[in-house]
Amino acid sequence: MAPPKKQFILNAFAMQAPGHLNPGLFKYPKDKGRDYNKIKNWISIAQKLEAAKFHAIFFADVLGGYDVYKGPANLDPTIPAGSQFPINDPLYSVPAMAAATESIGFGVTASTTYESPYALARKFSTVDQLSEGRVAWNIVTSYLDSAARNFGLDTQIEHDKRYEIAHEYLDVTYKLWEGSWRDDAVTNAPEGAYADFKGVRQINHKGKHFDVPGPHICEPSRQRTPFLFQAGTSSAGRKFAATHAEAIFLNGHTPELVRPSVDSIRTQAAELGRDPASIKIVAGLLVVVGETDEAAKAKYAELASYGDREGALALFGGWSGYDLSKYDDDQDFRFLDTAPPAVRSMVNHWADNSPSGLTWNKKTIAEHLIMGGNGAKIIGNAKTCADELERWAEVSDVDGFNLSYATIPETFDDLIEHLVPELRRRGLIWDDYAVPGGTLRENYLGVKGKNRLADSHPGAKYFWKAGEEVPAYAKDGANGANGTNGVKRKHDDDSEVGGKEKKR
């Protein structure tokens, strides 16, 4: 008997803006991108995705405009195209969507660069409580200079420095979520008290980048630490992901190109003492599905006719940092010595997986990016698309997919009508949530009662377990060793409270 097939994780990849990876598609008559700021729109989408048993809606976010193309600091191509501008913070809509659903999760992007860990920990604890544990944090360090300027900096903090900051940022949030309230601080409170004051403590974190006394102002939520997503693909990003992430989002043009990143992340996780199989890796794809291959290709061509090419080049400028307006319209970037190596490499990957005979100039690049962004695209009937998703899973060893949209909600409607039944028929997706009404972590990992970080996760060392006077990590005089509410415990008298933690 053949072994059972690995069942896919399915996320809907979305953004609360007129356009996400589909600049200009708000002009398509059936598109509801203009309703990005209407809560009933998002509730409706969440309900239909839950009925189809999607694991989660994964909300991307940015903190600045795409202003590199025809720049510097020029939003003229971005604004007419609705290229991720204007954009709302997705976190605030989650409680409403959660109240109208039972099991689907909500991944929310938030940056470690421009918000204090104390404030972010409070926001996620609040929303995790209101959603009954169905929230994930997609950890980013931010990549737009426009965001840096609007947060008071002349330019971005250097790339690897941002990840250095992010490592400490995560340590602070772990201490707040896991080590500031004892597990039984509320459930075992003295008679007449809401919580046991001895079970609530300051964390007194003093580090290179952050000084946070605490305590955490929120009582623990159902997951305590929200489920942790991360999408870094650089060497620093992959190391960060292998250290902290429970699920990782990767983009790639082919499964063969994605596989080395998957192997690298799993190897690094094992070297850090984590179970590499516990880390779920999802690939970003655009799937346009129809009754037949021909119908799907015709739908793609029709949708592409509404795309905004200038908006696509604006997105490329933000993602890459390169302004393609400086080059002539007919120059082929595969052979252009004056083009940055990163651009040439990217274009060559696209060319290798596209029809031959194309001149990869600005027009071709824009048309390639008009829907689905820098990710792979699968176009065909349900069988064609399911076959290719199976190939992706087998070749790349990913655990599932972040499925973006060409038009919202029609792309998701088509997936639900055509692709989802075919995947379910093949046994590639579940019939129902692993834990109906459960937390996002329970459903992502498929284990009832698995609400907390795994014991091998670095955040687990900050657990403050029932019956402990202080968390175990604080007993050796480590950073954050103060007792409840800043009161020094007797066993701390000989330790240097607030000293620097050892580097990992």
Side-chain angles (χ1 to χ4, degrees), residues 235-454:
S235 58
R238 287 196 299 269
K239 181 179 179 181
F240 182 88
T243 303
H244 299 283
E246 297 173 275
I248 295 166
F249 171 43
L250 296 176
N251 253 340
H253 316 307
T254 68
E256 292 82 3
L257 290 171
V258 168
R259 182 61 185 255
S261 292
V262 172
D263 290 343
S264 172
I265 289 167
R266 295 201 195 282
T267 298
Q268 289 187 68
E271 291 171 350
L272 291 165
R274 299 183 64 191
D275 175 8
S278 71
I279 299 175
K280 304 303 180 183
I281 300 179
V282 294
L285 299 174
L286 171 66
V287 177
V288 177
V289 64
E291 290 279 1
T292 65
D293 287 351
E294 292 72 21
K297 291 173 183 176
K299 168 59 74 68
Y300 184 90
E302 179 191 8
L303 294 174
S305 70
Y306 290 93
D308 189 304
R309 276 67 184 161
E310 289 287 279
L313 293 175
L315 289 177
F316 180 84
W319 296 330
S320 68
Y322 298 114
D323 177 7
L324 297 190
S325 72
K326 297 177 180 178
Y327 300 91
D328 294 339
D329 291 344
D330 60 351
Q331 289 179 307
D332 190 322
F333 284 87
R334 291 175 297 172
F335 314 116
L336 192 59
D337 290 339
T338 57
V343 173
R344 290 204 308 274
S345 174
M346 198 179 305
V347 171
N348 273 295
H349 283 315
W350 297 337
D352 289 343
N353 297 280
S354 301
S356 60
L358 293 174
T359 299
W360 281 87
N361 53 21
K362 285 187 290 188
K363 180 176 181 292
T364 304
I365 291 173
E367 290 174 350
H368 181 78
L369 297 174
I370 207 72
M371 288 181 291
N374 194 26
K377 302 169 182 63
I378 302 173
I379 304 166
N381 64 21
K383 181 181 183 302
T384 298
C385 295
D387 286 347
E388 184 63 5
L389 290 179
E390 279 205 79
R391 190 179 79 85
W392 263 81
E394 181 179 349
V395 173
S396 68
D397 194 33
V398 297
D399 298 292
F401 304 96
N402 258 4
L403 300 177
S404 63
Y405 54 86
T407 177
I408 193 168
E410 187 176 276
T411 298
F412 294 141
D413 291 339
D414 290 343
L415 293 173
I416 291 167
E417 179 181 356
H418 300 293
L419 181 60
V420 166
E422 177 66 16
L423 295 175
R424 191 160 285 134
R425 184 187 69 78
R426 299 184 185 199
L428 294 172
I429 57 174
W430 56 20
D431 294 323
D432 196 4
Y433 291 91
V435 187
T439 64
L440 192 153
R441 188 173 278 112
E442 285 180 302
N443 277 309
Y444 240 77
L445 301 179
V447 181
K448 184 176 176 60
K450 187 59 181 173
N451 296 315
R452 303 283 294 276
L453 293 169

Side-chain angles (χ1 to χ4, degrees), residues 2 55 59 79 98 128 155 159 180 198 217 219 226 229 327 386 448 464 501:
H55 285 66
F59 286 106
I79 294 172
D128 200 53
T155 188
H159 178 273
S180 186
K198 295 181 180 179
I217 198 169
E219 70 176 274
F229 277 107
Y327 300 91
K448 184 176 176 60
W464 191 6
E501 289 182 311

Side-chain angles (χ1 to χ4, degrees), residues 129 176-202 215-221 224 452 463-471 484-485 489:
Q129 287 175 5
L176 291 167
W177 285 323
E178 303 290 352
S180 186
W181 287 65
R182 196 174 60 210
D183 285 349
D184 61 350
V186 175
T187 59
N188 197 32
E191 184 177 354
Y194 181 76
D196 182 359
F197 74 89
K198 295 181 180 179
V200 182
R201 62 185 291 278
Q202 289 185 310
H216 189 30
I217 198 169
C218 296
E219 70 176 274
S221 64
R224 281 193 175 243
R452 303 283 294 276
F463 287 179
W464 191 6
K465 298 177 182 179
E468 292 181 334
E469 188 178 13
V470 294
T484 57
N485 307 303
R489 300 285 191 185

